[in-house]
Amino acid sequence: MQTHMPRPALAFVLTLALTACGAGEPTRTVVDDAALADTIQGDNWLAFGRTTNEQRFSPLTQINDANVSSLAVDWYLDLPGDKGLGSTPLVVDGVLYFIGSMNIVRAVDATSGTLLWVYDPRTREYADRLRAGWDLSRGIAYWDGKVYVATWDGRLNAVDATTGTELWSVQTIDPDLAMYITGAPKAFKGKVLVGNGGTENGPSRGYVSAYDAETGEMAWRFWIVPGNPADGFENDAMRMAAETWTGEWWTHGGGGNAWHGFTYDAELDQLYIGTGNGSPWNRKVRSPDGGDNLFLCSIVALDPDTGEYLWHYQTVPGETWDYNSNMDIVLSDLEIEGAMRKVILHAPKNGFFYVIDRTNGALISAEPFVETTWATSIDPVTGRPVEDPDARYPDGMANVTPTEMGGHNWHAMSFNPRTGLAYYPAMHQARTYTDVGVDPATYRVTNWLVGVGVGGGNTGSTHPTGVLATLQAWDPVRQELAWEVPLPGIYNPGTMTTAGNLVFQGRVDGAFVAYRADTGEELWRHDMGLGITAPPITYAVNGRQYVALLVGYGSLMARGREAAELGWAYGLHTRRLVAFSIDGTATLPPQPPPYVPGPIDFPFDVDRALAARGAVVYGQQCGLCHGGGAVAGGLTPDLRASLVVPRIEDFASVVRDGTRAVNGMPQYADITLDELISLQHYIRARAEADLAAAAR
Ligand code: CA
């Protein structure tokens, strides 16, 4: 572990206006376990899921189903340097804290948007460690006067909540491993927990780590999959897990990275970790003779003080489709068949909605919320899926739903105890998986080679109405859909729900919408002029209720042709933090209309053989962010329109030297001149082909 003293000038205090945001004596909330578990107070939004139960349910009722139609902009803060924004802000005593692009954290007056301080963890200086595509933090944590910030390159930093001064910083990732952090840290019992991503970026063995909130000293680490038995197992849980693996899995890492989905159950004093998919995806490669491969794609309960294993529930034994259980783990008490049960609500990628007994991890019920062809049902006795064996694409192909994007992904699921419904964006599509030509004996893990081709692209909607995405309201007691509305695009953001009988959700087309929570009737909509990726929050200051939202289309799915059609072209639209109230009188400055960039003409003599080689390099290294076929979706510049690409000196400085790291472009220090030249020819070939097609 490395800790260091704060470097000077990491933060600057713009104004000491903290006491000016309320009349009279300011409230000073001590943010501890009791405060984080308090579901009664509505003024603050203290944690990622508002409270420790992760319900994203607010008891506030000033904005409600009778008056939400007059909800209006109260204040806004332009964020011209930001790109994709997907995080959940926190509100503590009238101060709103949020993390934006390049992990920059701002504190603002929650009644006006006036900037109080900016904390820049200087993520851009780690250009050689930035794994492509992941400049999108989902949030921060707050504990006892400190804000906790996990960075793209793997640091966990503590920041003074009053001044924005960095107090300590610890590197949580081996710098030689291709990992990154996008998830929000979680604070509980004087500790801060972080996980990481990286399952697809190279040999990866997932883990979570807890650090002392005061000092940054590591308290414990829990490994998600077993390492090489010859090195000895860290604990009995790893010994047990190793029984479920075959072959030499450790040479591939195994995966299971916990990049999202941490819940501290203050009532039962248990910590729940959602775990990731296998590395590589294809079980045939990483565990050739089968096996469940614990603790991939599971909810694992840990002792919060020691990190010791308590129990687990695995949603996909022998995971092989990039399914994972990193989605939200929401806690509730529900009356099921006449008995009150302490439950986990969980809607992971695999398309089944799970109700799990959180005292012991036993399955209570599971039903599909989207079309599921990989498994028909979950056996209520064994808790195991009833699989379609052909869906494992055994030495061939299979068309499978949900896709590797999931029936539901990380976008926040809220739960309203008044309506008894859970609200989340669902995705309805199929994808072809193929492992033709993959030989486990010779397979080597490289960046985004996952032992399986996700061929054929999206093979269409699996929803009866033909839409790809819907907002669903799910009844976990009856295990059935209560209501559903169609959504634009595919990858829509998460939800928030209130005692005012409301559900709020932004959308990729820029609409911010409020629905009746019980019926799904649309009650209000505001066009933000830019696609939305973040979930909203609500809070109150001086008796006024606000709804706040970050507006900044982004995330890994803001790429490629499907996203490009939305028209949120790279760098065109202003990112914003926007707050609404019933008495709001502000007006947002207009945004440019949606614009879909196209290729530009440029004198360049394309060599077909070089272009073919460049296509391979592009697919492995570039397409993840810049889009398939070099058609960008707005997360990144469209390379077909780039004046940098055709000029080799400029191109090399950006790609090999990392000169655009400030914009989130990682450094590819090992790329060769031959590879760069082949990329030039591929990208210009794509541009010329699209220009020719447009001219026809
Ligand atoms: Ca994955």
Side-chain angles (χ1 to χ4, degrees), residues 199-200 277 281 322 324 349:
T199 301
E200 283 85 5
N277 56 280
W281 293 1
D322 187 28
N324 55 53
K349 275 187 181 179

Side-chain angles (χ1 to χ4, degrees), residues 622-687:
C622 316
L624 183 67
C625 294
H626 287 279
V631 180
L635 177 72
T636 53
D638 192 300
L639 298 181
R640 299 168 305 157
S642 171
L643 292 172
V644 170
V645 170
R647 301 182 168 116
I648 191 64
E649 295 83 8
D650 295 348
F651 193 39
S653 79
V654 170
V655 179
R656 193 181 58 204
D657 305 334
T659 53
R660 297 265 171 101
V662 65
N663 294 342
M665 169 70 189
Q667 179 183 4
Y668 293 80
D670 297 334
I671 199 159
T672 65
L673 186 61
D674 284 352
E675 286 172 324
L676 283 168
I677 291 169
S678 73
L679 282 171
Q680 285 185 304
H681 285 265
Y682 169 69
I683 292 162
R684 286 313 306 164
R686 287 292 308 113

